[in-house]
Amino acid sequence: MEINIKQYLTPPVLLIIFLLIVSLMIVFPVLNMVILGAILAYGVRPVAVKIQSKLKFPSISILLAMILILVPLIILVAYITFELSSIGSLILNSTSNTDINTVITSVTNYLPWQFDINSLSSSINSSIHEVGSYVLNYLVKAVSGLMNVTLDLFILICSVFYFARDGDKCFEFIESFVPEDSKEFFNNTVESVKDVLRSIFYGHFLTSLIIGIFGAIGYSLLGYEFGIFLGVITGILQLIPIFGPWPVYWILFFMDIMSGNYPRAIIVLLFGFFLSTIDMYIRPALSSHYADIHPLILLIGFLSGPLVYGIVGFIVGPLILGITYVVLDNYRKEYLVGGKQ
């Protein structure tokens, strides 16, 4: 049976397609913030509903819910910034009291080759100046891009607010275009998308939180000066599948070896292996309760998402790939395996 395309491409349909393409071109530069806003709104809305049961004002309830969620993130960023500044000042103070030539001489005594200490020292100093100038130029570029960051944050906040407040209306608007015989497929897909969101949150973010807490407790008990900060960094690195907690405990291991603290070096290495091992049990145990998605799909999303969407790609990347998978799986079950034509 031949399909007459002309009867579907009516002037109203062509106008809608044209407007959708133009609108997508306009929205595309900030599309990642809109998508991220919709994702965050999914987490803000339950908190806002609980607050609204007390206040009876939807908009105020949503704003309070956003503040309750954003305040811990702001505190976390401020804490990381403060600790990094403390570590940086500590390193500068220690290096300012150390003669570079003395360090080079002590290092070269253990090497089988002979070096010109003066030329090597001047090379190191020039390299330090080059790194400093690079960092300064990077900061200048970051400040120049502050307007773009401000615009992205504004769009993100507005997206979270309006999706949390009017998400039901948006859902009903989209559902009104779905044919009656496809309602079941549409509703099943929406439920699967919710499962993907819960799987990503519980399987990855909650896992990172648990391992970060374990890391903070373990590093503090082992006597490291910035134990809590090391735990926070461990939790953040856990979000990146290719990293995980191993950079932190390997660095601590080599630092203890160089300082001669061999017992603690062995203990921190064993503790790091423990953190890496429990990830293989916690993550699948939490994720499998919500969405049955192969880990490779989410892994590719975590690794390739930031290349396309920047830092928000850690959330958007696995989400898009996960949604694509569940849509195809629901279509297969609904129209192919189910025998519908």
Side-chain angles (χ1 to χ4, degrees), residues 59 77 263:
S59 297
V77 173

Side-chain angles (χ1 to χ4, degrees), residues 19-224:
L19 291 175
L20 286 175
I21 294 174
V22 174
S23 299
L24 183 61
M25 293 172 61
I26 295 174
V27 176
F28 188 78
V30 294
L31 184 61
N32 56 345
M33 289 293 112
V34 176
I35 296 175
L36 183 60
I39 297 170
L40 295 178
Y42 180 77
V44 169
R45 185 173 176 82
V47 180
V49 170
K50 292 183 179 180
I51 297 176
Q52 187 177 345
S53 63
K54 306 293 183 181
L55 294 180
K56 307 299 181 183
F57 297 104
S59 297
I60 297 178
S61 300
I62 293 171
L63 288 175
L64 290 176
M66 291 173 63
I67 292 173
L68 287 176
I69 293 175
L70 288 176
V71 165
L73 295 177
I74 295 173
I75 293 175
L76 178 62
V77 173
Y79 172 75
I80 292 175
T81 304
F82 174 77
E83 291 294 335
L84 286 176
S85 62
S86 300
I87 294 173
S89 62
L90 183 64
I91 293 174
L92 289 176
N93 290 333
S94 62
T95 55
S96 62
N97 296 326
T98 304
D99 185 10
I100 294 180
N101 290 333
T102 304
V103 175
I104 295 174
T105 303
S106 60
V107 171
T108 53
N109 289 333
Y110 296 95
L111 298 177
W113 309 283
Q114 296 295 326
F115 294 96
D116 186 355
I117 296 177
N118 293 327
S119 62
L120 187 59
S121 176
S122 61
S123 298
I124 293 176
N125 285 322
S126 63
S127 299
I128 293 174
H129 286 298
E130 289 178 1
V131 171
S133 62
Y134 174 80
V135 172
L136 183 61
N137 292 331
Y138 178 81
L139 292 176
V140 171
K141 291 181 180 179
V143 172
S144 63
L146 185 61
M147 285 298 297
N148 293 332
V149 175
T150 304
L151 177 62
D152 288 343
L153 289 177
F154 177 76
I155 293 175
L156 176 63
I157 293 173
C158 292
S159 299
V160 173
F161 176 80
Y162 286 111
F163 274 117
R165 193 188 70 175
D166 303 323
D168 293 338
K169 296 178 182 178
C170 180
F171 175 78
E172 293 172 359
F173 178 78
I174 297 174
E175 188 181 23
S176 64
F177 290 95
V178 179
E180 194 63 34
D181 57 350
S182 299
K183 293 282 187 181
E184 183 178 357
F185 168 74
F186 177 77
N187 292 327
N188 290 336
T189 301
V190 171
E191 291 301 320
S192 298
V193 170
K194 293 180 181 179
D195 290 338
V196 172
L197 280 171
R198 285 191 285 264
S199 175
I200 291 175
F201 174 77
Y202 289 107
H204 297 277
F205 291 97
L206 190 56
T207 300
S208 300
L209 177 62
I210 294 173
I211 291 181
I213 293 174
F214 281 167
I217 295 174
Y219 296 137
S220 299
L221 291 177
L222 288 173
Y224 291 103

Side-chain angles (χ1 to χ4, degrees), residues 111 167 239 243 313:
L111 298 177
L239 288 173
F243 284 106

Side-chain angles (χ1 to χ4, degrees), residues 219 245-246 249-250 266-277:
Y219 296 137
W246 66 265
Y249 64 78
W250 273 108
I266 300 300
I267 294 174
V268 76
L269 192 62
L270 294 175
F271 176 69
F273 290 158
F274 165 75
L275 292 179
S276 298
T277 303

